[in-house]
Amino acid sequence: MKTVRISFNQDGFAPFEAKEGAELSDVLDGTHSPVFFGCKTGNCGTCLIELDPAATEKMAPPSEDEKDLLDALAPGRKGARLACQLKAQCDVTISYLN
Ligand code: FES
């Protein structure tokens, strides 16, 4: 099983390995992640995060619906994404923006 490394910019949260392809909403639970989730369907913006530049390039691009919400919540932030819409596709450092 291939894994990817998930790290955080916030203090107090240790990096961990997640199964490649796992939904971030499944692997980022409240015990070891600063990221909170609400709807998990891409509508509320609770899970707004910013990815490091390398991961921003490697992750699958946002859907049109995700792009619309990101334009409203984090205009101009290229690495901004909704964690509930992402899979663990590569090593990533996450900043929780909410
Ligand atoms: S949890 Fe609502 S947009 Fe991600």
Side-chain angles (χ1 to χ4, degrees):
M1 174 184 77
K2 195 167 176 199
T3 61
V4 298
R5 186 172 181 82
I6 311 245
S7 308
F8 303 99
N9 269 337
Q10 281 87 347
D11 288 338
F13 298 97
F16 68 94
E17 299 289 322
K19 188 174 149 196
E20 186 179 53
E23 303 284 343
L24 283 190
S25 59
D26 289 336
V27 299
L28 300 181
D29 72 27
T31 61
H32 61 260
S33 156
V35 181
F36 287 93
F37 293 90
C39 66
K40 294 190 176 179
T41 57
N43 291 310
C44 72
T46 304
C47 65
L48 182 65
I49 59 172
E50 187 162 51
L51 309 177
D52 66 272
T56 299
E57 296 301 322
K58 288 182 192 161
M59 292 279 191
S63 67
E64 288 304 314
D65 286 346
E66 184 182 354
K67 257 191 229 164
D68 288 346
L69 189 52
L70 292 171
D71 284 346
L73 298 175
R77 289 183 92 145
K78 192 172 174 231
R81 296 299 300 266
L82 299 173
C84 71
Q85 301 300 298
L86 289 174
K87 294 182 191 297
Q89 295 176 307
C90 61
D91 292 348
V92 59
T93 299
I94 291 172
S95 302
Y96 185 48
L97 297 180
N98 277 332

